[in-house]
Amino acid sequence: MTSGMSLRSNLSLVKHNAVIGAEIATEIMKMGKERKNNWTTSVPIDLAKPNKEKLNRIKEVTKVVDRKVIVVGASVIDVIARSDQKIIMGTSNPGGYRESQGGVGRNIAEALGRLGTKTVFYTAIGNDEKGTTLIENLETKYNIFTKFICTSDKTAFYFAILDNNGELQTAIADMNVNENIPSPTETELQGAKMLVIDANAPISNLATASLSAFKMNIPIFLETTSAPKASLISESDILKTVTFVSPNYDELFSLAQIEDVKGKKLNLSDQLQRLEADEDLPIKLAASRVIGNMNPSNAHILITLGEFGVLRVSRTAPSSCLKYIHYEAPKPKFVKNVTGAGDTFAAAFVHEFVQNQDVDTAILFALRAAKLSIECEHSAIPNLETL
């Protein structure tokens, strides 16, 4: 897909044991880095002459591999500008701006790292300083092992302009580089406890990775990211492999491909109150359509509903019956930033589920994490580790 793509490691690592060497490198990242060509690794290790000490480290790292989560998704530089007054079009407006590192996949990977989950992140960046800094932060601050493609495109960039009330007025998104996001091979998937896929990555790559993971009985968590992306997912075979999907209300209907459902805009509070008694609720009709296209043996939809919490829809073989459970959202002390709550919820759910294999416990844990995100002004959550 990308001409000239090659592993960024030394020749002895590639020749003798790229996979094990890369995982060892993650564990001893403090020793430094070496980068070549277009693929990254952390510290390359010469395995040409393995000794007893190196073999012991290989055994230790193999245990780490058994607990890893693989994330495939976008890395984005977010710039949010806000006017100090009502915006006057066609002229300069006084105000301020904030720049941060974002992207659904990147945000999830960072949050997993903060929670202590060993994570491998597949992404694409541009050949620029912002992309390099983004990768270095993930590796050095959050112990994330990254595998990325560096292209001639610029690192993905999102520039939003808000009015003095914080409402979006317009935005520019340069996401061309995301078409180069790579996916893990079957060898790289071995030992993974979960594959997390962000719909910003190329559909063909996501389909290949998800099918491989499905065949290897690795649970797949899909983050739909937007209604248009959810529509693209629904037109592919990806859902057939997915165990967990976490759409919001609009994304749910895009996944179901039934945008014109009668009563779709019915008050959410009313729908949740009538959940047990009314089988014809729009949210239940859409959820039923989506889950019918998911993993045939084990499927869960986690519908994020903002202040109304999360609606879980589950089906577990051999039963074909659907289970609906509503979880109320814990009340935040104050609202600083709602934009990162969904990514934080996804990461916290994956972290907890990988540890305990219980959907109910993982949702409750994820809701607490999302509350912290809402109470934090920035997407990086200082006290996420204390959950």
Side-chain angles (χ1 to χ4, degrees):
M1 178 178 63
T2 301
S3 58
M5 183 182 70
S6 60
L7 288 172
R8 306 186 78 176
S9 59
N10 62 15
L11 293 177
S12 60
L13 173 61
V14 175
K15 182 176 180 181
H16 293 280
N17 201 323
V19 176
I20 295 298
E23 295 297 342
I24 293 174
T26 303
E27 291 302 294
I28 62 171
M29 193 182 304
K30 292 181 181 179
M31 291 175 57
K33 296 178 183 175
E34 179 176 336
R35 298 181 186 278
K36 296 179 181 178
N37 300 332
N38 288 335
W39 277 94
T40 110
T41 98
S42 297
V43 191
I45 294 180
D46 184 3
L47 296 179
K49 298 179 180 179
N51 55 34
K52 185 176 180 180
E53 181 179 353
K54 287 181 180 178
L55 291 175
N56 286 337
R57 285 200 60 75
I58 289 174
K59 292 178 182 178
E60 291 174 6
V61 172
T62 299
K63 295 178 182 178
V64 173
V65 174
D66 288 343
R67 298 194 300 273
K68 74 183 179 183
V69 170
I70 294 178
V71 180
V72 179
S75 296
V76 180
I77 302 301
D78 291 325
V79 177
I80 310 298
R82 181 167 178 166
S83 176
D84 291 336
Q85 60 189 29
K86 184 177 179 180
I87 288 181
I88 302 173
M89 302 303 293
T91 188
S92 297
N93 292 266
Y97 76 94
R98 175 172 58 85
E99 179 176 316
S100 62
Q101 296 174 350
V104 172
R106 194 219 67 89
N107 291 346
I108 293 174
E110 178 189 327
L112 283 167
R114 286 175 172 272
L115 289 165
T117 297
K118 298 294 183 182
T119 303
V120 183
F121 179 41
Y122 288 73
T123 192
I125 61 169
N127 185 21
D128 50 44
E129 183 178 355
K130 290 186 182 298
T132 301
T133 301
L134 183 150
I135 293 297
E136 288 179 348
N137 283 342
L138 286 175
E139 293 182 344
T140 59
K141 292 183 179 181
Y142 310 116
N143 197 26
I144 304 298
F145 179 70
T146 61
K147 299 198 73 173
F148 66 89
I149 290 178
C150 181
T151 77
S152 58
D153 287 319
K154 295 179 180 178
T155 297
F157 189 83
Y158 177 77
F159 189 99
I161 297 179
L162 313 181
D163 64 16
N164 56 317
N165 295 317
E167 296 294 330
L168 179 67
Q169 299 302 297
T170 189
I172 301 295
D174 181 357
M175 302 291 170
N176 292 334
V177 72
N178 288 342
E179 292 303 313
N180 298 295
I181 295 174
S183 60
T185 64
E186 289 189 9
T187 300
E188 292 165 335
L189 283 168
Q190 290 178 4
K193 297 298 183 183
M194 182 84 77
L195 171 65
V196 180
I197 55 177
D198 157 10
N200 285 305
I203 294 295
S204 59
N205 287 5
L206 294 182
T208 299
S210 61
L211 181 59
S212 296
F214 176 74
K215 291 178 179 178
M216 299 167 71
N217 293 319
I218 298 171
I220 299 166
F221 186 103
L222 167 64
E223 180 54 60
T224 47
T225 74
S226 69
K229 294 292 185 181
S231 292
L232 292 176
I233 291 289
S234 69
E235 295 168 1
S236 71
D237 290 331
I238 292 174
L239 268 182
K240 296 177 181 178
T241 67
V242 169
T243 309
F244 302 100
V245 61
S246 182
N248 62 24
Y249 191 68
D250 288 334
E251 291 163 3
L252 173 70
F253 282 86
S254 292
L255 278 176
Q257 294 185 313
I258 46 175
E259 295 284 351
D260 58 346
V261 169
K262 182 179 180 181
K264 175 188 172 185
K265 298 299 183 182
L266 187 65
N267 184 284
L268 263 177
S269 179
D270 290 343
Q271 290 195 66
L272 293 173
Q273 289 177 5
R274 295 159 49 188
L275 204 57
E276 293 185 8
D278 192 342
E279 292 297 322
D280 293 326
L281 291 174
I283 197 169
K284 293 182 75 170
L285 292 174
S288 176
R289 171 80 65 91
V290 172
I291 207 166
N293 292 325
M294 292 175 64
N295 186 320
S297 61
N298 192 8
H300 307 271
I301 309 175
L302 315 177
I303 310 169
T304 55
L305 302 171
E307 63 180 305
F308 295 107
V310 169
L311 177 62
R312 167 189 169 188
V313 186
S314 295
R315 172 180 47 73
T316 304
S319 174
S320 60
C321 297
L322 300 186
K323 179 192 297 184
Y324 296 86
I325 304 175
H326 177 232
Y327 301 79
E328 293 187 358
K331 300 293 184 183
K333 297 176 183 177
F334 39 79
V335 177
K336 289 287 187 179
N337 179 11
V338 299
T339 58
D343 298 342
T344 302
F345 175 88
F349 175 88
V350 170
H351 166 81
E352 185 66 19
F353 183 81
V354 166
Q355 303 299 317
N356 298 309
Q357 300 294 305
D358 184 79
V359 177
D360 184 70
T361 302
I363 290 176
L364 293 173
F365 180 81
L367 282 169
R368 295 200 302 273
K371 173 179 174 289
L372 288 181
S373 178
I374 292 171
E375 294 172 345
C376 181
E377 185 172 0
H378 305 292
S379 59
I381 305 162
N383 57 345
L384 187 60
E385 298 90 336
T386 64
L387 275 170

